[in-house]
Amino acid sequence: MKFSSNWLIPAGLLALTFVPVVAGALRLSEMAGGAAVLPDGDRVTQSPVALVAHIVSVTVFGVLGAFQFAPGVRRRFRRWHRIAGRIVAPAGLIAAVSGLWLTLFLPTTATDSTALVVIRVVVVIAMVVSLVLGVAAAMRRDFTTHRAWMIRGYAIGMGAGTQFFTQAAWLVAAGPFTPASRAGTMAAAWLINVLVAEWLIRRRAVPARQYRSASRPLGSIR
């Protein structure tokens, strides 16, 4: 169990970040003069500063953030956890804001739609709010609330990893994307991540409530 909590959690989260991190590294290589291996390069590189900021911040947020959720690592290396958190939270905010900039100001593609833009804006707002509330909870030393909001923020930020699977499933089952199917598969990925995050938050809350109940003295009414 100790091995599971300390290593399987970061390993699973790192696996989720693998595709966006590798794609980001390949895009940076293209921008530095390397061979073009990803589609849509001419369009996405029209905002190079925002694109680089997004790739770097998402990588830091995804990779470093994965280790923030290992209970043993968090308890044993509390100072490291605090220092890493001061990097992870700003990286997440930069990733969200730069992603919004790219959504609003890059030229559209044939499969973009107003619905997808609205979904992305809502996702960015939710991610920013989650991270800000998570940091605020940590500052007032409410670590249960802090963990819950950071789990939500991380889950939203890692939507691109789940989108690889939802979009791959659509391509296999139905073929090329339409504007509706692209928006739907991306929204489905964010929804899956949010639902899993909420399940994890509530799963952790049940033992805590049971512990508090068992710890009350006999005759206590509160």
Side-chain angles (χ1 to χ4, degrees):
M1 182 63 67
K2 184 177 181 181
F3 175 84
S4 174
S5 62
N6 289 342
W7 298 110
L8 291 184
I9 291 174
L13 295 176
L14 288 174
L16 188 63
T17 69
F18 178 77
V19 171
V21 167
V22 170
L26 291 174
R27 187 68 78 188
L28 290 178
S29 175
E30 291 178 1
M31 295 175 69
V37 295
L38 297 177
D40 211 22
D42 292 340
R43 183 181 72 90
V44 298
T45 55
Q46 291 187 33
S47 292
V49 174
L51 181 60
V52 171
H54 187 67
I55 292 171
V56 173
S57 59
V58 165
T59 300
V60 172
F61 182 70
V63 174
L64 190 57
F67 294 94
Q68 296 292 86
F69 300 104
V73 174
R74 185 174 62 244
R75 287 192 296 266
R76 186 175 180 183
F77 303 102
R78 293 185 180 182
R79 185 169 183 271
W80 181 90
H81 178 77
R82 289 194 298 269
I83 294 171
R86 291 167 183 165
I87 299 172
V88 170
L93 293 174
I94 294 171
V97 173
S98 59
L100 181 61
W101 175 276
L102 295 171
T103 295
L104 296 178
F105 296 107
L106 283 182
T108 59
T109 69
T111 55
D112 284 333
S113 64
T114 302
L116 181 56
V117 172
V118 171
I119 291 168
R120 283 172 162 165
V121 170
V122 170
V123 165
V124 166
I125 293 172
M127 182 175 173
V128 169
V129 169
S130 296
L131 294 176
V132 170
L133 291 177
V135 171
M139 292 177 66
R140 64 177 184 268
R141 303 188 68 79
D142 181 357
F143 297 118
T144 299
T145 301
H146 165 70
R147 283 192 293 272
W149 282 114
M150 295 308 290
I151 288 171
R152 293 181 180 111
Y154 189 86
I156 295 169
M158 292 300 101
T162 309
Q163 284 164 7
F164 171 79
F165 298 101
T166 57
Q167 293 187 329
W170 178 271
L171 288 172
V172 170
F177 289 114
T178 63
S181 62
R182 184 161 179 254
T185 53
M186 295 182 76
W190 277 309
L191 180 61
I192 290 169
N193 281 17
V194 168
L195 291 176
V196 171
E198 292 301 322
W199 175 76
L200 290 172
I201 292 166
R202 281 155 178 72
R203 183 170 177 265
R204 290 177 61 88
V206 170
R209 288 196 297 268
Q210 291 174 345
Y211 174 80
R212 288 194 297 270
S213 178
S215 301
R216 293 173 186 167
L218 292 177
S220 172
I221 62 173
R222 292 183 62 84

